[in-house]
Amino acid sequence: MLSAFTARPIVELKQRDKSRIQSLLAFGDRLLVGLYTGTLRIYRVNEIHDDFEEQNGSKSSEDHPVSQPKTRAVELLREVEKFSKYKIEQLAIIKEANILVSLADSYVSIYDLQTYTLQEQLTKTKSASTFAVTSNIVKDPTTGIPSIASQLAVAVKRKLILWSWHDSELASETTELTLAATTKTLTWATGTKIVCGMDSGYVMVDVKTQEITDIVGPGSIGGAAGHDGGRFGGLGAAGMGYMGMGMPKPLATRLTDEELLLAKDVNTLFIDSNGKAQPKRQIPWSTAPDAIGYSYPYMLALQPPSKGILEVRNPDTLSLLQSISLPSATQLHIPQPYISLAHAGKGFLVASERCVWRMGALDYDSQIDELVERGRLDEAISLLGMLEDALLKDKEGRLREIKMLKAQVLFDMRKYRESLDIFTEVSAPAERVIRLYPRVIAGDLSSILSGEESEAGSDHETTNGDNSGDRNADKNSALEDTEAPQGFSVGKLKTESKKAALDTASLRTSKKEDGVDGSDAGSAKGKYLETVDSEKPLEGKDLLAAVLELRAFLVDTRTKLQRFLNPDGTLKPLAQSVDSGESGSSKATFETLLVAPSSAAEDDREQKLLETAKLVDTTLFRAYMLASPSFAGSLFRIKNFCDPDVVNEKLLENGRYNDLVDFFYGKKLHRPALDLLKRYGQRGEEDASAPALHGPRRTVAYLQHLPPEMIGLILEYSEWPLRQDPDVGMEVFLTDTENAESLPRDRIVKFLSGIDSNLAVKYLEHVIHELNDLTPDFHQRLITLYLERLNKGKDMQQGNTNNFRDEDERSGWREKLLDFLKSSRQYSTARALGLLPRDDPEFHEARAIVLSKMGQHKQALEIYVFRLLDHEKAEDYCNRVHLDQDVLPTSSPTHKRPRRVSTTDPEDAQPSIYHILLSLYLSPPAPNKPDWAPALNLLSKHGSRLPASSTLNLIPSSLPVKELESYFRGRIRAANSIVNEGRVVTGLRKSEVVSAQATLLLGDGLPGSNGGRNRRVVVGEERVCGVCHKRLGGSIISVLPDNSVVHYGCASGGRRSSDGMEAFRRPQWS
């Protein structure tokens, strides 16, 4: 049992004193005792500091029911013999009004609190049975100024009469309410609501609105007030014993600001401040108490004088925590709460007819330690939850530690879900939880010995006797020092771990706990020993169930660690992690996650946190491998801190090579992963244990995800896939990913060239044509590789591996070379021309293309005409060159429509490309002869593009004019077209001038004319020039036909955009 309170007699009537103590009142350091004779005695209570409580704090108060103080606890200051003619039944004070309220001879009287002289006897209170006083702080509804309001409620038969004081001034009006039955007890619930207890039941009275509400609870109150049935009616099973001496007195006490306890006979009901029943079970009293009360934070019940026992219970769990023997005690006096209920009832009094005991409370820290030492962990947790933080040393740490002890007890009882839920709730250190598991989960951290270790340990104990016990005690002591929070004594907790594990009465609060002798607890322990073998090793289904619950705990811990640790292992700033974390995150929460307390150094905190993260992730991996190995892969696909040695060993042992590769990738251990892939990928036959790793495809997929910085590793391990399956291997460099596009291309080209020039060609074609790489070296290198391939392919008889399969393949390569020479502008034409053989017919066209790029059109045409003997290609060549020279880029800002050539040829006109070709046909260099057929064909098709004078000079006089008919016809048609086009343009310009003049002169009547000469524009402060976009202000302006306004200088300079000046100047028909 708990030793929360110690009874100390402070007033004892002497043997010769025939008086009896009838009422008590304690306030401040004063104690007023009302005697049966009507005498009032005033005592001063002295604070006595001795070590009695410290000496007896751990012992039961039943062994020492009454203690004798070393010095006098009270001093009699005054005795008022004629205070009342009759016994003083009840006393109370209204401190703000400096008055003492007394109930005697069925009247309520008011006395001066200093002189104890009668001020007034309230005549309305004749036949009063009880009264109640309350004081509260209220605010004025208009001014908001706080004041103290006190109220006195008196029960007079079926009436309730109320008096009010505001700041020590008595209100002139009183309030009277009529109830259904005679009121026996009054208890203030709030400053405006009072509970009235009657024989027939309870009612809640709102003194402000004068509303009366019956208190009804399921199975507790039979009906409305005025009916004598039901459990609170006095005729229940336990109430039959009172038939001869009247009904049991209805009792009530206020527990907290929002909760009250009603008791009648052995039945109880918890209600809120509005009178609604609370879902709490009844207090298991064996006999009806004579009085009930509340001393923060405990609930008190005084048993009848025949028993003389004061019961102390937890109002949350209703468990009996202490029974104090007080012979013949009849009264329980709780000091009147002023203003607030916080710490109400401290230093309460219990009195018999001859003695008054003052109850001294043990400090709360010692009470918590005692509960934990006795194994009553639930009671300790409940008590910590009710106490304020300021009353305890490190309340948060103590509560967390006790919850972890409870979770450990539940774990030993095989209640894994409840245990791990508590561990998760308090953010228990992962090391402490993992230690509960065997080596298969916890590794070297496990506190559970294996079979061989346990046998060795038992032999060692047998050999060394008690010395081993001493060493174990030292080890446990060291363990406790590292786990317990500062200021919390855990040394005695570990010695009681077996008792705590068996105390199911504390863990199952629904069981009856009233037996002082502990018989219920003993039977529960026996039952537990029969059903759960605490020495049974954790294995089989039990281990699987425990591991499944452990996974949820580790995942939650992992999430909390991420608030303090970056994925790369660096520590986040503590302030930032607390601000971005959930509610309740703090430095203390950070410390609770560590495997050991950290120092103030930043690097030490980071190291400790990394150790914790490594332990959590490694244990989570072991849990996955034991319970559900398929889930282990999901852990490796995210950032983790698993121990590589443990993971490697476990995965190899279970043959999960694919998961091992994923783990190596996540840990950036790329070389071991690629070695593993290479070992299984190069095997001739597929390995049944790792079918997904066979062949180069898995290695290629791995290399595709490596960053460009690891180009050395990529090139090293991509060689064997390229040699085994070039098409698959090239996916490393050709895939459409950011990594592949960011790789250093020069190194890749050099690497691929060393393996196979065809692979280098394939890669260069990819980067040039698809990625639009304009690097000149790559373009030049591709031309070189094309030429090397074509040159090597000629050696068909030597069996060279670079030979073409057939002539079609060779033609394809040649066409690719020609197309690239035409399309690319980045290679060096001089170098390319030097690489092309001069006398090889296969490369004549290539040389022509390169010469064309260099502007050597005559040499290029000579190749087409005299070496290739292909007149169509020569003509096509001229057409391309003519189009390139005639058409200017449309993006040029000075671009104008191309003008048709004149009907006459200027003498300084440069010969066209067709003229060069014609000269080659008609005046070829030796030893070639003139070729009339292609020349005449050229004249008939492109005669209009040839200068007449120079062309006719090339034609020999021996040629018949009839052969030139098509040439002259074309020339005449071209001249006529030019003349006709000029006439059309002249007519359009005249029409445009007429339209502009009409708009200017008659603009007011024409649609879209902008007003003609009479138009106007508004130039405001914010209007800007359409050309330079500067404010116009007071500058000289120019108004354009479209009513746009620009600076005069901008208009004259012609800097208007295409939709302004240029649009105006450009003809509308163009």
Side-chain angles (χ1 to χ4, degrees):
M1 302 294 285
L2 177 66
S3 300
F5 297 101
T6 303
R8 178 185 291 113
I10 57 174
V11 176
E12 292 182 282
L13 299 183
K14 298 180 180 180
Q15 292 294 333
R16 63 177 180 273
D17 192 344
K18 303 302 180 183
S19 301
R20 288 179 295 172
I21 298 174
Q22 192 68 30
S23 59
L24 297 174
L25 174 62
F27 63 95
D29 63 345
R30 295 291 187 267
L31 171 62
L32 277 60
V33 179
L35 303 180
Y36 187 81
T37 59
T39 301
L40 179 67
R41 293 181 180 176
I42 300 94
Y43 295 90
R44 181 174 62 197
V45 181
N46 299 321
E47 292 294 337
I48 301 176
H49 300 282
D50 54 22
D51 56 354
F52 177 79
E53 295 179 6
E54 297 179 2
Q55 295 174 357
N56 298 276
S58 60
K59 299 181 180 180
S60 174
S61 59
E62 295 177 306
D63 299 334
H64 303 276
V66 180
S67 59
Q68 299 295 332
K70 296 180 182 180
T71 57
R72 296 182 60 181
V74 296
E75 296 179 9
L76 180 62
L77 299 179
R78 183 177 177 183
E79 182 173 349
V80 183
E81 295 186 355
K82 300 299 182 180
F83 184 80
S84 174
K85 296 180 180 179
Y86 302 94
K87 62 181 179 180
I88 306 173
E89 300 179 16
Q90 188 177 355
L91 293 171
I93 65 168
I94 300 178
K95 187 175 182 181
E96 293 70 27
N98 198 32
I99 60 175
L100 173 67
V101 184
S102 170
L103 173 62
D105 191 23
S106 299
Y107 280 96
V108 174
S109 304
I110 297 177
Y111 295 82
D112 184 271
L113 188 58
Q114 301 298 327
T115 61
Y116 305 103
T117 56
L118 178 64
Q119 292 184 348
E120 181 182 1
Q121 186 179 58
L122 305 179
T123 56
K124 291 184 178 182
T125 61
K126 183 180 181 181
S127 303
S129 56
T130 184
F131 69 86
V133 174
T134 184
S135 296
N136 299 276
I137 297 178
V138 296
K139 288 186 177 181
D140 188 274
T142 57
T143 63
I145 298 176
S147 61
I148 298 179
S150 302
Q151 296 186 86
L152 169 64
V154 182
V156 181
K157 296 183 179 180
R158 295 177 57 186
K159 289 185 178 182
L160 180 65
I161 309 175
L162 296 107
W163 284 265
S164 300
W165 283 262
H166 290 277
D167 288 337
S168 74
E169 294 183 3
L170 177 64
S172 57
E173 298 180 357
T174 60
T175 303
E176 294 187 15
L177 299 173
T178 302
L179 306 179
T182 302
T183 302
K184 298 296 184 65
T185 58
L186 293 174
T187 305
W188 285 99
T190 65
T192 59
K193 294 182 180 180
I194 188 170
V195 176
C196 302
M198 299 168 285
D199 291 335
S200 57
Y202 292 85
V203 296
M204 177 78 75
V205 179
D206 190 327
V207 299
K208 189 174 182 180
T209 62
Q210 300 186 7
E211 180 182 357
I212 302 174
T213 305
D214 294 324
I215 298 176
V216 180
S220 296
I221 298 178
H227 296 80
D228 292 336
R231 299 176 67 183
F232 274 104
L235 296 178
M240 295 300 292
Y242 294 93
M243 291 294 290
M245 51 183 167
M247 294 184 179
K249 182 179 180 182
L251 305 176
T253 186
R254 186 176 176 186
L255 301 179
T256 64
D257 290 337
E258 298 295 332
E259 189 177 25
L260 291 89
L261 170 64
L262 309 181
K264 193 172 185 182
D265 200 2
V266 294
N267 303 309
T268 58
L269 177 66
F270 291 89
I271 63 172
D272 60 14
S273 58
N274 295 320
K276 295 181 180 179
Q278 299 296 304
K280 277 191 177 183
R281 61 188 181 91
Q282 295 210 357
I283 300 175
W285 281 326
S286 56
T287 58
D290 275 4
I292 59 175
Y294 176 75
S295 178
Y296 180 85
Y298 298 109
M299 184 171 57
L300 310 173
L302 183 61
Q303 297 294 334
S306 58
K307 288 191 172 184
I309 294 177
L310 177 67
E311 293 184 355
V312 181
R313 292 182 179 269
N314 185 331
D316 184 23
T317 64
L318 307 183
S319 304
L320 179 62
L321 300 180
Q322 184 180 9
S323 295
I324 305 174
S325 178
L326 300 171
S328 303
T330 58
Q331 296 183 53
L332 175 63
H333 174 70
I334 308 298
Q336 191 172 328
Y338 297 105
I339 312 306
S340 173
L341 268 180
H343 321 311
K346 292 190 67 175
F348 66 94
L349 305 174
V350 180
S352 65
E353 292 184 349
R354 305 289 300 174
C355 181
V356 177
W357 291 276
R358 187 184 184 191
M359 309 306 295
L362 190 66
D363 65 280
Y364 295 122
D365 292 293
S366 300
Q367 294 182 36
I368 299 298
D369 291 344
E370 186 175 350
L371 284 172
V372 175
E373 181 181 357
R374 296 178 182 275
R376 309 200 68 176
L377 302 179
D378 275 347
E379 301 301 331
I381 293 172
S382 175
L383 182 59
L384 281 168
M386 292 185 292
L387 292 173
E388 296 181 1
D389 296 355
L391 302 178
L392 296 165
K393 299 176 181 178
D394 188 18
K395 173 184 173 180
E396 183 179 353
R398 293 170 66 89
L399 180 61
R400 180 172 176 270
E401 177 64 25
I402 295 173
K403 284 186 176 181
M404 287 191 288
L405 289 175
K406 176 183 176 181
Q408 188 168 344
V409 172
L410 288 170
F411 190 90
D412 295 338
M413 295 171 63
R414 304 292 193 262
K415 296 183 177 181
Y416 304 117
R417 172 163 296 184
E418 295 87 340
S419 173
L420 270 299
D421 284 347
I422 296 177
F423 278 131
T424 303
E425 175 191 349
V426 301
S427 299
E431 181 183 17
R432 181 166 182 170
V433 179
I434 296 170
R435 188 183 288 118
L436 302 175
Y437 287 80
R439 294 182 63 87
V440 67
I441 296 297
D444 297 336
L445 192 63
S446 174
S447 61
I448 301 177
L449 300 178
S450 62
E452 297 177 358
E453 292 175 339
S454 60
E455 291 176 3
S458 60
D459 295 341
H460 186 68
E461 289 179 2
T462 305
T463 303
N464 296 285
D466 295 338
N467 294 334
S468 62
D470 296 338
R471 284 194 296 270
N472 290 335
D474 296 339
K475 182 178 179 181
N476 291 336
S477 176
L479 179 64
E480 292 156 12
D481 292 340
T482 60
E483 293 180 354
Q486 186 177 3
F488 183 50
S489 174
V490 194
K492 51 189 177 182
L493 305 185
K494 295 295 182 181
T495 61
E496 299 290 338
S497 59
K498 290 291 184 180
K499 182 176 180 180
L502 300 178
D503 190 8
T504 55
S506 176
L507 298 174
R508 302 175 183 176
T509 55
S510 59
K511 298 289 185 181
K512 290 191 63 176
E513 303 177 17
D514 291 68
V516 178
D517 58 354
S519 59
D520 291 342
S523 62
K525 294 174 186 177
K527 183 177 180 181
Y528 170 71
L529 289 174
E530 293 176 2
T531 56
V532 179
D533 183 8
S534 60
E535 300 299 330
K536 180 181 177 181
L538 186 60
E539 58 186 11
K541 292 184 178 180
D542 285 340
L543 177 59
L544 185 60
V547 168
L548 290 176
E549 300 302 328
L550 176 65
R551 291 192 319 188
F553 168 78
L554 293 176
V555 170
D556 180 79
T557 304
R558 197 174 188 279
T559 304
K560 294 174 181 175
L561 285 170
Q562 291 175 355
R563 304 205 318 255
F564 303 97
L565 201 62
N566 291 315
D568 58 353
T570 58
L571 187 65
K572 293 181 180 179
L574 188 58
Q576 175 184 348
S577 60
V578 169
D579 294 339
S580 61
E582 300 173 358
S583 177
S585 296
S586 61
K587 186 175 181 180
T589 305
F590 169 80
E591 295 292 342
T592 60
L593 296 172
L594 302 181
V595 295
S598 66
S599 66
E602 188 77 12
D603 55 349
D604 182 64
R605 292 216 315 267
E606 181 176 343
Q607 180 63 28
K608 294 296 183 183
L609 202 58
L610 282 173
E611 292 177 5
T612 303
K614 182 177 180 181
L615 174 64
V616 170
D617 285 355
T618 304
T619 307
L620 183 59
F621 162 72
R622 288 191 176 115
Y624 280 139
M625 292 302 297
L626 179 67
S628 49
S630 60
F631 288 174
S634 61
L635 178 63
F636 303 147
R637 297 184 189 99
I638 59 178
K639 293 292 184 179
N640 63 82
F641 299 92
C642 294
D643 188 349
D645 296 334
V646 175
V647 174
N648 189 24
E649 177 184 356
K650 282 286 184 183
L651 292 179
L652 289 177
E653 179 182 341
N654 290 271
R656 303 191 67 85
Y657 302 103
N658 203 36
D659 289 340
L660 182 57
V661 171
D662 290 340
F663 171 73
F664 282 146
Y665 179 80
K667 301 297 289 183
K668 297 183 179 180
L669 300 173
H670 302 301
R671 186 171 292 278
L674 291 169
D675 287 337
L676 181 67
L677 291 171
K678 183 177 180 180
R679 184 166 65 250
Y680 284 95
Q682 287 184 322
R683 291 185 178 180
E685 297 181 358
E686 182 177 312
D687 195 328
S689 61
L693 305 186
H694 183 69
R697 190 164 295 277
R698 186 69 175 87
T699 301
V700 169
Y702 191 97
L703 293 173
Q704 287 175 344
H705 290 85
L706 294 182
E709 295 78 13
M710 309 195 71
I711 182 62
L713 201 64
I714 295 173
L715 297 180
E716 178 183 351
Y717 284 93
S718 62
E719 181 174 357
W720 76 265
L722 287 170
R723 296 188 183 277
Q724 182 171 339
D725 191 341
D727 292 336
V728 175
M730 283 299 294
E731 293 181 6
V732 176
F733 311 108
L734 303 183
T735 185
D736 188 16
T737 62
E738 184 178 355
N739 282 348
E741 295 177 6
S742 303
L743 293 174
R745 297 168 183 173
D746 53 342
R747 294 188 59 181
I748 296 175
V749 171
K750 182 178 180 182
F751 168 74
L752 294 177
S753 299
I755 298 177
D756 188 351
S757 60
N758 293 337
L759 300 179
V761 170
K762 189 174 182 180
Y763 179 72
L764 286 172
E765 289 176 345
H766 171 73
V767 298
I768 292 174
H769 299 316
E770 297 187 21
L771 303 183
N772 196 26
D773 193 320
L774 302 179
T775 305
D777 290 343
F778 291 159
H779 290 247
Q780 190 68 43
R781 179 61 177 164
L782 182 57
I783 295 174
T784 303
L785 291 174
Y786 278 146
L787 292 174
E788 290 178 357
R789 182 76 175 90
L790 290 170
N791 289 327
K792 290 180 181 179
K794 289 184 178 182
D795 193 8
M796 304 290 292
Q797 67 276 12
Q798 296 181 3
N800 197 313
T801 57
N802 288 314
N803 293 339
F804 299 105
R805 292 190 298 270
D806 50 31
E807 189 60 29
D808 292 338
E809 183 181 2
R810 181 181 182 83
S811 299
W813 277 77
R814 185 168 55 250
E815 291 298 326
K816 289 196 294 184
L817 172 62
L818 297 178
D819 292 340
F820 185 70
L821 289 174
K822 292 177 183 177
S823 61
S824 175
R825 296 178 179 271
Q826 306 302 320
Y827 62 90
S828 172
T829 54
R831 290 179 59 187
L833 185 63
L835 294 173
L836 292 170
R838 180 181 296 271
D839 300 326
D840 192 340
E842 186 177 15
F843 300 106
H844 284 337
E845 186 174 358
R847 288 182 61 84
I849 294 173
V850 176
L851 289 171
S852 173
K853 292 281 186 179
M854 299 174 68
Q856 303 296 330
H857 302 300
K858 184 175 181 179
Q859 297 180 25
L861 287 173
E862 286 178 352
I863 293 175
Y864 282 116
V865 173
F866 302 119
R867 296 194 178 186
L868 295 177
L869 302 178
D870 193 336
H871 303 297
E872 292 184 0
K873 287 187 177 180
E875 185 179 351
D876 291 340
Y877 176 83
C878 292
N879 292 335
R880 291 197 305 271
V881 174
H882 175 74
L883 292 175
D884 291 340
Q885 292 177 350
D886 190 46
V887 179
L888 296 176
T890 57
S891 59
S892 175
T894 61
H895 168 64
K896 299 181 181 179
R897 289 175 56 86
R899 299 286 304 271
R900 298 296 297 269
V901 296
S902 175
T903 58
T904 61
D905 297 327
E907 295 182 359
D908 58 349
Q910 183 179 1
S912 67
I913 187 65
Y914 298 100
H915 186 273
I916 297 175
L917 179 59
L918 182 63
S919 64
L920 291 177
Y921 284 148
L922 298 178
S923 302
N928 300 300
K929 296 181 180 181
D931 195 347
W932 296 102
L936 294 175
N937 185 43
L938 180 66
L939 287 172
S940 64
K941 290 182 179 180
H942 306 285
S944 61
R945 298 173 180 172
L946 295 169
S949 58
S950 59
T951 302
L952 292 175
N953 290 333
L954 292 174
I955 299 175
S957 58
S958 60
L959 183 68
V961 176
K962 184 179 179 180
E963 300 293 337
L964 299 175
E965 179 183 1
S966 58
Y967 166 70
F968 289 120
R969 191 185 301 275
R971 291 286 300 181
I972 293 170
R973 286 178 179 174
N976 290 336
S977 297
I978 294 174
V979 172
N980 293 335
E981 182 180 350
R983 291 173 180 175
V984 171
V985 170
T986 301
L988 292 175
R989 288 189 181 278
K990 290 180 179 180
S991 177
E992 184 181 13
V993 170
V994 173
S995 177
Q997 290 177 347
T999 303
L1000 182 62
L1001 298 175
L1002 306 173
D1004 292 337
L1006 296 178
S1009 61
N1010 296 326
R1013 288 185 180 275
N1014 297 327
R1015 73 184 188 277
R1016 57 181 178 272
V1017 294
V1018 178
V1019 179
E1021 294 182 358
E1022 301 299 328
R1023 189 157 185 172
V1024 297
C1025 173
V1027 176
C1028 65
H1029 303 290
K1030 296 180 181 179
R1031 284 198 315 138
L1032 296 171
S1035 304
I1036 301 175
I1037 62 173
S1038 178
V1039 181
L1040 302 181
D1042 61 353
N1043 274 1
S1044 59
V1045 182
V1046 297
H1047 289 109
Y1048 181 78
C1050 293
S1052 301
R1055 293 188 291 162
R1056 287 280 290 167
S1057 61
S1058 59
D1059 59 346
M1061 289 292 295
E1062 285 297 324
F1064 173 67
R1065 292 173 178 172
R1066 187 170 60 245
Q1068 298 177 0
W1069 44 266
S1070 60

